[in-house]
Amino acid sequence: MTAGTAREGTVVWVGDVPIGGAEAVVMAGPCSVESRWQVTETAFAVKSCGAAILRGGAYKPRTSPYDFQGLGIEGLKLLRRAGDEAGMPVVTEVMSEDDIGAVSDHADMLQVGARNMQNFALLKKLARAGRPILLKRGPSATVKEWLSAAEYLLHGGNERVVLCERGIKTFDTGLRNTLDLASVALVKEMTHLPVIVDPSHATGKRSLIAVCARAAMAIGADGVIVEVHPEPEKALSDGAQSLTFDGFAEMMMGMAAPLRAVRGVGAAVIR
Ligand code: PEP
Ligand code: MN
């Protein structure tokens, strides 16, 4: 099946968590894995509020080479351990073809970051990695280019693809990016693949994340992925867009009403 056929929604399983089914899925965790304490505290905090999948970067695509680049293999181990302790599957970015083996050994889902969306050599290899893929939309990619990138994975033999809208570059510089929510509805019309929203990278601004998560539910997204940190002001990356534990709990509560409105009375976030 190609990305652009069939209206029946595909359900992508990540560990024991279905994405694209009746319920919405929340992935949450730090932008970067920084320490055992930081990732483990966060895992237990988000799990207790209803997050289903733990996120955390070990290989970080930073604009400046002088910024924190991630803990690499050590970060992968810490993420895996925190996920196992809290009882959650984990998702993390794979930046390079060289790292596919190590990342696949530690993670349940592999993230292709926005900057790598059109790294076709990486996509071709990931099509054979045997892991579900979270494919972020490139900052300047059209919907057509985004779906073509997904097609590389499907065509290469990996049907387990989840799309993620994370904001695009526009003329507006008021926020880090522009959240293109209409594209989520469009992509839901055009493909059978699950689509989630990343309000953290889309806005870059902590105070807007909960309201954008609500909007994502209202427009029919299959879930959200958000950044959470025990001490956002001390985060080594993306602190300004990281939720506190209390902020995350509030976001989760705010998602309930739009979820019910769109998916029916019994709809909930998956735990
Ligand atoms: C991330 O999820 O940490 C990240 C770097 O996201 P993006 O690739 O969307 O910028
Ligand atoms: Mn980040």
Side-chain angles (χ1 to χ4, degrees), residues 54-135:
L54 178 66
R55 68 147 286 152
Y59 298 93
K60 296 303 302 178
R62 303 306 301 278
T63 303
S64 164
Y66 304 111
D67 288 337
F68 178 59
Q69 302 287 307
L71 295 180
I73 190 83
E74 189 53 31
L76 292 177
K77 287 184 184 156
L78 293 173
L79 180 71
R80 176 78 268 161
R81 186 173 184 153
D84 287 346
E85 285 178 7
M88 307 166 89
V90 301
V91 57
T92 194
E93 176 161 354
V94 56
M95 271 176 56
S96 146
E97 294 168 54
D98 299 341
D99 303 327
I100 293 176
V103 177
S104 304
D105 284 347
H106 292 85
D108 303 286
M109 180 180 224
L110 312 188
Q111 173 174 321
V112 176
R115 294 157 190 80
N116 259 326
M117 188 203 83
Q118 285 188 313
N119 181 340
F120 301 119
L122 180 65
L123 294 174
K124 281 181 184 173
K125 288 229 164 105
L126 287 174
R128 298 191 300 272
R131 284 271 181 267
I133 307 292
L134 182 62
L135 181 64

Side-chain angles (χ1 to χ4, degrees), residues 100-183:
I100 293 176
V103 177
S104 304
D105 284 347
H106 292 85
D108 303 286
M109 180 180 224
L110 312 188
Q111 173 174 321
V112 176
R115 294 157 190 80
N116 259 326
M117 188 203 83
Q118 285 188 313
N119 181 340
F120 301 119
L122 180 65
L123 294 174
K124 281 181 184 173
K125 288 229 164 105
L126 287 174
R128 298 191 300 272
R131 284 271 181 267
I133 307 292
L134 182 62
L135 181 64
K136 291 196 138 192
R137 180 182 183 180
S140 303
T142 63
V143 165
K144 199 171 165 197
E145 287 164 341
W146 187 20
L147 296 183
S148 290
E151 203 70 42
Y152 266 88
L153 296 165
L154 271 66
H155 174 73
N158 190 346
E159 300 263 322
R160 295 194 288 165
V161 178
V162 175
L163 299 168
C164 178
E165 157 60 30
R166 47 76 74 204
I168 52 173
K169 285 193 191 300
T170 67
F171 57 82
D172 192 354
T173 54
L175 293 169
R176 184 172 182 181
N177 289 292
T178 297
L179 176 55
D180 185 9
L181 271 184
S183 77

Side-chain angles (χ1 to χ4, degrees), residues 175-235:
L175 293 169
R176 184 172 182 181
N177 289 292
T178 297
L179 176 55
D180 185 9
L181 271 184
S183 77
V184 175
L186 175 62
V187 165
K188 292 286 292 179
E189 256 183 32
M190 291 173 72
T191 86
H192 55 92
L193 298 172
V195 189
I196 69 167
V197 169
D198 175 348
S200 303
H201 292 89
T203 65
K205 197 169 161 64
R206 184 179 310 124
S207 61
L208 298 179
I209 292 169
V211 76
C212 289
R214 290 171 66 124
M217 293 300 97
I219 208 153
D222 294 294
V224 294
I225 180 167
V226 294
E227 291 181 337
V228 180
H229 195 287
E231 300 172 310
E233 67 289 351
K234 293 190 186 156

